[in-house]
Structures are given as structure tokens and as C-alpha cells.
Amino acid sequence: MNKLIIANFKSNKNRQEYEHWLDDFEKGVAKVGAHIDIALAPPLPDLMFFSNRLCDKQMHPHTFLAVQDLSPFSAGSYTGAVGTRNLEGFDVKYAILGHSERRTYFHETAHDVANKVREALSASITPIVCVTKDECNPTANALEPRDRKRCIVAFEPIEHIGTGTTDTREDILKTKELVQAAFGPIPYIYGGSVSPSTEENILIDPAIDGFLVGHSSLDPHDFLSLLRQIR
Ligand code: PGA
């Protein structure tokens, strides 16, 4: 598998700022190697804008669209929820599910995450399931066994999200064993203060299949600099 680097923009920018972001990103991304898959996860109101830009312009051939969340329900009367049916036509490849900010601020449970995973898979969207060490087993256990194997799992230690300190390579690799014992031999990525100054031995480790990037995705130059360092 190519290394997968996901830009999780969270709720940070407005349309005009994303327009500038994409202009700058486009200028530098051609130099990023073909061994990298890039996923951009904008806020939902900007999804169409991103989708059009990814189609129209000369982007890196491996640049894909992701959503930051998904409804746990199929189409129906669920005011405010955005489900897979609403995403048809946008070519969404990945869904970030169960992020700690969703679990903390929106009270999402492992059961909710499992429903979201089922919805994503039913629409051929690959779930990127975020877990801490404590959430790993409860989340895997809430999933249908056949769904577990079809996820990408992101280890996201809360104490390293948005704090500027990355977890150690040893802990990231040790947690991979825990995650793969629970989910099976799925792709394993890390998120938590990954930046262009993250230690090289983390960025180039072949046992880490990619990175979920929050803060350092907000400046396109930082994000491109990070992409260029990944092997
Ligand atoms: P961060 O966010 O890179 O700002 O730590 C990571 C995440 O929330 O996935």
C-alpha cells in the first residue's frame, strides 16, 4: 500500500482560505512522489468545491477526497445528518470516523462508530477509524468481524493531538500490535502532532502506513514539506 497522508482540516477555514490553500498546494504537489496517497478532508460545505478542484486541475494523481464524519444512519429523517446517499457524486474515498473530538464533544460511542463504519463500507468509502489505546478493543468489538478487516485504523493518542509533541516511535509501533490483535492485519496509521519536524525515523518507518495530520495541514507549505519527507 502507498503511504496515506490525510489532511484533517477540522472546522478551521472559510472558502476563500481554502481557495488559496489549494492554489499553493497545487503549485508544490507535483514534486511529491507517487508512493504517497493524499486525502483532503474539508468541512462538508466545502466538499463540492474541493471535489471540483480535484477533478478540474492538474493535481497529484493520488489526491483523494475524505469526509471528517458520516451519519450512522442510512437515508431518512435524520435532521442535520449527512449520510452516504448525500455524498453520492463527490467521489469521496475515505471517511475519518470516531475521532477523539467526535467522541469527546459529540459523545460518540463505539456503537455509533460501528454504525458509521457499516454505512461507509456500504457505499465503498474506506473507514479510517481513530482509536486511543483504551478505545481500541471496545471499538473493534462493536464492529461486525467482516467490517473490522476493511478498515484503516489510526492510532490517535489524545495527549499528543494538537499538543505539538509526537508520540515516540517505540510506542507507535507497540500500539500497532494492540491494534492489529483487535482488528486484524489492517493498515495502521498514526495521528498526533505530526509535522515537518517530526523525527525522521517515524516519518520513514515502513511499519507505519501513513499519518493523520491536523494542525500541520493548515499551512499548505508545512503540509507539502511534510509530504516530501515521507518515504
Ligand atoms: P494534530 O491533529 O496533527 O493537530 O495533532 C491530529 C488529529 O486530530 O488527527
Side-chain angles (χ1 to χ4, degrees):
M1 155 178 169
N2 272 358
K3 289 245 173 151
L4 173 63
I5 319 301
I6 305 132
N8 179 7
F9 296 120
K10 308 189 181 183
S11 309
N12 280 296
K13 291 182 190 282
N14 64 23
R15 175 71 51 86
Q16 200 183 20
E17 289 165 331
Y18 283 125
E19 223 168 303
H20 294 146
W21 192 98
L22 280 164
D23 288 344
D24 289 341
F25 177 72
E26 236 168 52
K27 284 182 201 136
V29 77
K31 293 196 197 102
V32 175
H35 61 290
I36 295 203
D37 286 350
I38 304 162
L40 306 179
L44 281 177
D46 297 304
L47 201 63
M48 184 183 277
F49 173 67
F50 270 73
S51 177
N52 290 340
R53 285 286 296 257
L54 295 195
C55 284
D56 285 358
K57 302 269 181 147
Q58 281 291 17
M59 260 319 153
H60 184 274
H62 301 267
T63 306
F64 303 102
L65 204 54
V67 286
Q68 300 176 17
D69 186 31
L70 201 58
S71 172
F73 304 110
S74 304
S77 301
Y78 303 104
T79 301
V82 176
T84 54
R85 185 157 173 80
N86 315 117
L87 297 176
E88 281 173 17
F90 290 107
D91 216 5
V92 170
K93 189 167 164 66
Y94 302 99
I96 302 169
L97 301 177
H99 191 282
S100 61
E101 287 151 15
R102 302 285 325 164
R103 297 186 196 243
T104 304
Y105 302 123
F106 301 90
H107 314 293
E108 268 184 30
T109 63
H111 181 67
D112 296 325
V113 177
N115 286 334
K116 292 176 182 206
V117 167
R118 190 200 55 235
E119 284 302 307
L121 290 171
S122 73
S124 301
I125 294 173
T126 302
I128 298 170
V129 177
C130 303
V131 294
T132 60
K133 284 180 199 171
D134 289 346
E135 290 157 357
C136 178
N137 285 327
T139 304
N141 291 338
L143 294 174
E144 292 289 335
R146 66 171 182 277
D147 289 354
R148 253 177 240 155
K149 298 191 206 101
R150 298 170 66 198
C151 296
I152 293 172
V153 176
F155 169 46
E156 292 247 321
I158 290 180
E159 63 276 23
H160 293 291
I161 295 179
T163 58
T165 62
T166 318
D167 197 2
T168 61
R169 175 171 169 268
E170 290 66 34
D171 193 54
I172 296 170
L173 294 180
K174 208 160 148 247
T175 308
K176 181 177 181 177
E177 291 169 24
L178 182 81
V179 163
Q180 292 199 329
F183 284 82
I186 41 77
Y188 172 78
I189 68 178
Y190 168 78
S193 297
V194 175
S195 77
S197 39
T198 294
E199 277 181 38
E200 192 190 30
N201 67 6
I202 293 178
L203 298 181
I204 67 171
D205 195 313
I208 306 168
D209 297 306
F211 301 98
L212 184 46
V213 186
H215 190 78
S216 282
S217 68
L218 295 177
D219 179 328
H221 304 289
D222 279 354
F223 190 56
L224 286 165
S225 154
L226 171 65
L227 291 173
R228 282 195 288 266
Q229 291 183 55
I230 290 165
R231 298 276 172 275

